[in-house]
Amino acid sequence: MTTPAVSIQALHKNFGSVQALKGIDLEIEQGEFFGLLGPNGAGKSTLINALAGLTRPTSGSLKIMGHDVITNYLEARRRLGVVPQEVVFDPFFSVREALIFQSGYFGLTKNDLWVDELLDTLRLTDKADANMRSLSGGMKRRVLIAQALVHKPLVVVLDEPTAGVDVELRKSLWRFVQSLHKSGHTIVLTTHYLEEAETLCDRIGIIDHGKLITLESKQELMSRGLGQKLTVSSNSPLPDVPTELQRKIVNASEFQLELRLRREQDSVIDILDQLRAANFQIDDIGVETDSLEDIFVQLTSEQAL
Amino acid sequence: MIGCYTLFKKEMARFGKVWFQTVLSPIVTAMLYLMVFSQVLEGRVEVFDGISYTEFLIPGLLMMTVIQNAFANSSSSLIQSKTLGNLLFILVAPISTLQIFLAYTAAAVARGLIVGLGVLLIALLYVEVPVYNFGIIMLFAISSSAVLGALGIIAGIWADKFDQMAAFQNFIIVPLSFLSGVFYSIHSLSGIWQTLSHFNPFLYMIDGFRYGFFGTSDVPVGTSFAVVIVSLTVLSAICYRIIDTGYKLRQ
Ligand SMILES: Nc1ncnc2c1ncn2[C@@H]1O[C@H](COP(=O)(O)OP(=O)(O)OP(=O)(O)O)[C@@H](O)[C@H]1O
Ligand SMILES: [Mg+2]
């Protein structure tokens, strides 16, 4: 068996009386694209900071490619690139200076070619000599990504890299991260957007109140019956719902019908056709994609059972 | 080692970019002291036989400037990086505890020496200063600024806010360096003050440094050097420990 890219055992972290992590066990294989999801304050960043050595675990162990992040921190850090959640920068330097210094911290003296390539891919070339202070928030975030990649780390961890980033940039960031993944990097990312995790990740872990409550492949997670909610309303009273759609009803009133659709199986268009064939006078429709919150509601209520 | 050297270079670049504040302004301050004190006291006070007051003053003033700047460099760099969060870039890098300590201390020493050299060059326009033993001068300049560089690391890591840092600077560093015999020989102090002065480690730095210029001193030069080296050892050990455990840096 190959060494896991990330291996976490019985990880606990307390901040005073706050138990941010309550015993996390997690293994991420080399080459995996892993998504870490969870509500605000769940402990995602704490977990990532512990991996990066930015926070000391209260107990438990963390390894990057088999190297313990505390007892063998030099080896572990050489193999890890972390994009922090909060945008931080050094106002004394330009983008290129920041990247050259970061390369040097990782022992690389002649890294200009790769730095240029990073600048190009992250569309920062024309800002290369601008002071960090003069960059927009999205640009600073891209510099953070570049800084995390100067040493071509095997394991790349991104803590909500798309928070507060416009749609265009978000798409290009994902393309970039996907290309990193294709070229063999192990990717771990946290996000609040289920769609993101869904399209990108092979496996998803959900963390809540410092505990890993779910750890499954995307397929498994999706087969939990998550999908969309279709709301149909009419100005005139609605007829009976066709029998084949009965079991999808969430809520039905005189003028409004709510149906739960499974994303993989049901097509909104087909269902609307079926309704119209059953003489529905549809004046308005709404489609809502299940959010992470819906998953939580479902998972946490399952846990409660 | 490249990581350590890069961090050192980054620290140099940091103060180099604001050289007006970090180099020029302390030189001007030192020159003002020199002008005022030498104007007022020249001819009235003779501390060592055959040495004019201005000559006497210059080494002390130099050393005071060197150590204050060494302290300012590591402390302000660390508290800034900590509050701005960009210390992260160093904390995630494969740079060992010892290397972090060495890089910050070496940059502090370099800043101290550069500012000191500036003061010396301008002072030489004023008055010629004898050199008794250049090796001793450098030995004290380097070891003393290393002590203050290490102290700056401790203060920079310990302080959570800039005003705590300012308090450290204004209530400890400045008074101790002022009251260390820069402007006078401790033999001119009366009983209790003279005794108290002997507890001020800065006194030994300045006294030993001055010995390098004149070949005479208040305290035997070996004692002074021993005090400086012991201070350096103790503070370095504390630095190593707090960086290694991640105190206030890796919560
Ligand atoms: N430095 C700290 N001191 C005290 N408590 C902390 C600290 N860092 C995190 N916490 C607490 O630990 C818990 C987990 O926080 P964490 O930042 O890991 O959450 P998160 O899952 O990343 O949330 P978000 O989605 O908002 O980023 C929270 O209750 C938080 O208040
Ligand atoms: Mg977070």
Side-chain angles (χ1 to χ4, degrees):
Chain A
M1 214 187 92
T2 52
T3 322
V6 174
S7 159
I8 300 173
Q9 270 157 17
L11 178 64
H12 288 259
K13 175 67 190 180
N14 304 341
F15 292 106
S17 61
V18 178
Q19 289 181 282
L21 297 174
K22 305 171 189 165
I24 304 273
D25 291 285
L26 176 62
E27 256 182 30
I28 299 172
E29 295 308 320
Q30 288 183 38
E32 237 189 305
F33 200 132
F34 187 86
L36 191 61
L37 275 65
N40 287 137
K44 304 181 294 295
S45 298
T46 306
L47 181 74
I48 286 175
N49 290 342
L51 270 182
L54 292 169
T55 189
R56 289 280 155 98
T58 305
S59 65
S61 84
L62 303 109
K63 291 194 182 100
I64 307 286
M65 301 293 292
H67 301 283
D68 189 281
V69 303
I70 291 175
T71 56
N72 206 358
Y73 65 97
L74 296 178
E75 293 305 314
R77 287 184 204 162
R78 282 194 188 106
R79 290 161 178 79
L80 179 69
V82 181
V83 182
Q85 180 173 7
E86 304 219 342
V87 174
V88 291
F89 63 97
D90 193 328
F92 282 98
F93 302 114
S94 70
V95 175
R96 188 185 297 279
E97 284 170 329
L99 294 177
I100 295 294
F101 280 132
Q102 201 64 26
S103 307
Y105 296 157
F106 281 87
L108 307 164
T109 44
K110 297 204 166 53
N111 207 24
D112 300 70
L113 278 179
W114 176 237
V115 164
D116 283 337
E117 200 176 322
L118 281 173
L119 287 171
D120 187 49
T121 324
L122 289 160
R123 285 187 277 138
L124 288 164
T125 306
D126 56 334
K127 290 286 176 187
D129 298 311
N131 183 282
M132 286 299 304
R133 250 178 314 203
S134 67
L135 266 54
S136 76
M139 293 173 190
K140 286 188 188 120
R141 198 173 269 285
R142 276 179 278 165
V143 178
L144 276 184
I145 296 175
Q147 275 177 289
L149 298 175
V150 286
H151 57 300
K152 302 185 181 162
L154 287 167
V155 183
V156 181
V157 180
L158 304 107
D159 197 354
E160 287 189 52
T162 51
V165 162
D166 69 46
V167 181
E168 197 56 34
L169 178 57
R170 183 177 297 180
K171 280 189 193 147
S172 77
L173 276 183
W174 289 140
R175 272 196 300 275
F176 178 58
V177 174
Q178 273 173 315
S179 73
L180 282 175
H181 180 232
K182 284 216 186 71
S183 61
H185 296 265
T186 306
I187 311 281
V188 179
L189 78 89
T190 77
T191 174
H192 283 282
Y193 303 106
L194 182 59
E195 314 92 81
E196 279 185 359
E198 230 189 289
T199 42
L200 296 164
C201 302
D202 309 326
R203 207 153 61 103
I204 290 172
I206 296 180
I207 186 168
D208 189 25
H209 290 105
K211 280 193 179 140
L212 203 56
I213 56 170
T214 319
L215 185 61
E216 24 189 68
S217 72
K218 184 166 67 190
Q219 286 75 16
E220 286 168 322
L221 198 65
M222 287 303 115
S223 64
R224 280 170 175 272
L226 295 159
Q228 289 160 305
K229 197 169 70 183
L230 174 67
T231 311
V232 181
S233 43
S234 171
N235 297 329
S236 47
L238 294 169
D240 288 339
V241 179
T243 34
E244 64 268 29
L245 296 182
Q246 288 278 355
R247 62 185 177 83
K248 298 191 192 294
I249 298 175
V250 181
N251 221 327
S253 63
E254 201 176 354
F255 298 102
Q256 191 165 322
L257 175 67
E258 273 178 49
L259 299 176
R260 166 157 296 283
L261 312 188
R262 291 197 165 209
R263 200 159 336 167
E264 312 282 87
Q265 301 154 11
D266 303 318
S267 133
V268 175
I269 303 291
D270 288 350
I271 291 187
L272 287 175
D273 283 345
Q274 287 176 34
L275 289 173
R276 238 173 290 160
N279 287 323
F280 271 69
Q281 275 289 320
I282 302 172
D283 291 307
D284 195 15
I285 64 163
V287 181
E288 227 177 274
T289 303
D290 278 341
S291 65
L292 195 51
E293 275 61 42
D294 297 307
I295 293 203
F296 289 130
V297 172
Q298 203 166 324
L299 288 172
T300 39
S301 55
E302 271 172 29
Q303 289 239 316
L305 290 177
Chain B
M1 223 47 225
I2 295 171
C4 175
Y5 178 62
T6 307
L7 181 54
F8 168 73
K9 273 205 309 200
K10 184 234 108 187
E11 282 298 293
M12 298 292 286
R14 186 198 72 89
F15 83 74
K17 294 225 171 186
V18 282
W19 63 274
F20 202 84
Q21 243 189 74
T22 53
V23 179
L24 193 62
S25 115
I27 292 177
V28 170
T29 309
M31 291 330 296
L32 287 175
Y33 280 125
L34 184 63
M35 275 156 59
V36 171
F37 280 90
S38 65
Q39 283 295 323
V40 176
L41 296 176
E42 182 66 55
R44 299 186 193 203
V45 184
E46 194 181 63
V47 186
F48 292 158
D49 290 338
I51 296 167
S52 75
Y53 181 73
T54 311
E55 280 176 79
F56 169 83
L57 177 63
I58 286 172
L61 205 51
L62 265 178
M63 192 53 146
M64 186 174 86
T65 309
V66 168
I67 60 180
Q68 283 186 356
N69 278 278
F71 177 83
N73 204 64
S74 49
S75 63
S76 60
S77 172
L78 273 162
I79 193 167
Q80 268 176 12
S81 311
K82 226 173 48 166
T83 39
L84 293 175
N86 61 45
L87 198 62
L88 176 139
F89 301 131
I90 293 152
L91 295 178
V92 299
I95 308 178
S96 70
T97 299
L98 182 64
Q99 290 173 338
I100 293 180
F101 167 71
L102 288 178
Y104 276 100
T105 310
V109 170
R111 156 111 170 252
L113 295 186
I114 288 170
V115 177
L117 186 68
V119 176
L120 180 65
L121 290 179
I122 297 177
L124 286 178
L125 301 174
Y126 232 83
V127 61
E128 213 169 302
V129 194
V131 172
Y132 172 74
N133 185 328
F134 186 72
I136 290 180
I137 294 176
M138 287 312 288
L139 203 60
F140 272 89
I142 293 171
S143 55
S144 307
S145 46
V147 171
L148 272 289
L151 192 60
I153 295 176
I154 297 169
I157 292 176
W158 165 80
D160 296 316
K161 296 188 221 114
F162 284 96
D163 54 346
Q164 286 177 328
M165 194 69 240
F168 204 97
Q169 180 117 16
N170 295 331
F171 293 109
I172 298 177
I173 305 299
V174 174
L176 283 184
S177 55
F178 255 87
L179 302 176
S180 57
V182 173
F183 301 102
Y184 50 83
S185 155
I186 52 158
H187 291 315
S188 62
L189 294 176
S190 57
I192 174 81
W193 291 108
Q194 203 178 118
T195 315
L196 278 179
S197 292
H198 282 104
F199 290 98
N200 179 356
F202 293 12
L203 172 100
Y204 301 92
M205 300 175 184
I206 286 174
D207 201 60
F209 187 64
R210 193 180 276 137
Y211 177 86
F213 288 88
F214 306 122
T216 41
S217 55
D218 288 342
V219 181
V221 68
T223 309
S224 293
F225 192 61
V227 171
V228 176
I229 291 304
V230 169
S231 313
L232 183 58
T233 311
V234 171
L235 291 176
S236 301
I238 297 175
C239 273
Y240 187 90
R241 178 102 185 112
I242 60 176
I243 298 171
D244 205 50
T245 54
Y247 170 75
K248 292 220 181 180
L249 298 181
R250 306 178 194 269
Q251 288 159 332

